[in-house]
């Protein structure tokens, strides 16, 4: 084996070993084996409130499994997260963010429901905007409307679960050769993040200020 080939192999080995100590994230699947209810009215809802002063939006990042409940819909047990909107006294924008991860990215759908759990609006995972490390969706709600939005329902989008988020990027590496000089090589890396019915998300509402009034901006994270 030539000196160049030996050096290249050592460099590749070092790259592999450098990733061995990392803790690998895996999305936690929701538990559908117990306490499954028959309708959304029986699901324990969670209050959705504005951020407290100095509270960071990322502090509300959770596993979907940690906020999900099991409900039977159309004869099938499904995990859902049900948020109450009664604390949103002003017109509000609900910021839903999904963390992109090779250990599982939540292919979510969102529904705005009225007090009778009837769907007012629905958003599939294809309505989420893909950003660098996440997907995001902005949902506007105004509880002053005649048919007031009362709940936000999150659940897996069955048309997207089982797919993948694929991105291709170029990556270059280099190292010093014995006796001086350097060797640089490039590779094309394909990253596939599986779309699953679980993963990390954060749901944060922000009040929408009327245009023309000077107000303190609410930082988003």
């Amino acid at each position: 084996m030539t000196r160049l080939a030996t050096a290249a192999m050592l460099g590749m080995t070092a790259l592999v070993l450098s990733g061995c100590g990392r803790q690998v994230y895996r999305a936690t699947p929701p538990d559908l084996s117990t306490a499954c209810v028959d309708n959304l009215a029986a699901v324990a809802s969670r209050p959705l409130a504005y951020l407290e002063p100095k509270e960071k939006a990322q502090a509300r990042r959770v596993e979907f499994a940690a906020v999900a409940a099991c409900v039977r819909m159309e004869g099938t047990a499904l995990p859902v997260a049900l948020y109450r909107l009664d604390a949103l006294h002003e017109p509000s924008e609900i910021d839903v963010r999904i963390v992109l991860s090779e250990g599982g990215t939540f292919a979510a759908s969102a529904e705005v429901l009225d007090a009778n759990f009837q769907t007012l609006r629905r958003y599939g995972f294809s309505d989420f905007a893909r950003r660098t490390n996440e997907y995001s969706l902005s949902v506007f709600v105004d509880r002053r409307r005649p048919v007031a939005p009362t709940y936000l329902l999150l659940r897996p989008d069955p048309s997207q679960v089982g797919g993948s988020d694929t991105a291709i990027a170029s990556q270059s590496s280099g190292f010093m050769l014995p006796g001086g000089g350097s060797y640089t090589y490039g590779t094309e890396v394909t990253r596939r993040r599986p779309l699953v019915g679980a993963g990390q998300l954060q749901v944060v509402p922000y009040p929408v200020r009327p245009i023309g009034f000077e107000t303190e901006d609410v930082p988003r994270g």
Side-chain angles (χ1 to χ4, degrees):
M1 182 180 293
T2 65
R3 184 176 66 177
L4 181 60
T6 301
M9 180 173 290
L10 290 173
M12 291 298 291
T13 302
L15 287 174
V16 172
L17 291 176
S18 65
C20 291
R22 297 176 185 173
Q23 185 175 2
V24 178
Y25 166 79
R26 290 289 181 269
T28 303
D31 183 9
L32 302 179
S33 61
T34 58
C36 204
V37 299
D38 293 323
N39 53 67
L40 287 174
V43 174
S45 59
R46 295 174 175 271
L48 196 59
Y50 302 125
L51 293 172
E52 297 291 336
K54 298 185 179 181
E55 181 185 5
K56 301 296 185 181
Q58 195 169 352
R60 298 195 182 182
R61 182 170 295 180
V62 295
E63 285 283 335
F64 176 62
V67 295
C70 178
V71 62
R72 294 183 186 87
M73 303 178 71
E74 300 177 356
T76 303
L78 296 173
V80 301
L82 186 65
Y83 295 91
R84 293 196 313 275
L85 309 181
D86 51 304
L88 307 184
H89 303 299
E90 303 178 56
S92 303
E93 183 182 280
I94 303 174
D95 184 40
V96 183
R97 300 197 183 191
I98 306 296
V99 179
L100 263 171
S101 174
E102 294 176 4
T105 298
F106 183 31
S109 67
E111 294 177 55
V112 179
L113 310 177
D114 66 12
N116 296 315
F117 300 97
Q118 298 301 306
T119 301
L120 302 177
R121 277 171 285 149
R122 185 183 187 281
Y123 305 88
F125 188 64
S126 59
D127 294 312
F128 283 70
R130 189 190 189 284
R131 309 198 184 280
T132 304
N133 296 311
E134 62 189 9
Y135 282 87
S136 67
L137 175 72
S138 294
V139 180
F140 177 80
V141 295
D142 185 352
R143 288 186 43 76
R144 300 173 302 178
R145 292 183 175 180
V147 181
T150 307
Y151 299 99
L152 176 70
L153 178 74
L154 298 180
R155 58 173 170 164
D157 185 339
S159 68
Q160 300 294 322
V161 171
S164 64
D165 174 278
T166 303
I168 300 175
S170 297
Q171 179 176 301
S172 60
S173 302
F175 50 88
M176 300 301 295
L177 294 172
S182 63
Y183 179 76
T184 303
Y185 57 93
T187 57
E188 194 174 73
V189 179
T190 300
R191 299 188 66 184
R192 290 185 175 87
R193 285 104 159 189
L195 301 179
V196 297
Q200 293 182 317
L201 76 158
Q202 68 185 50
V203 184
V204 181
Y206 298 90
V208 176
R209 308 297 186 186
I211 297 176
F213 290 86
E214 292 186 3
T215 58
E216 183 179 351
D217 291 334
V218 179
R220 303 195 181 193

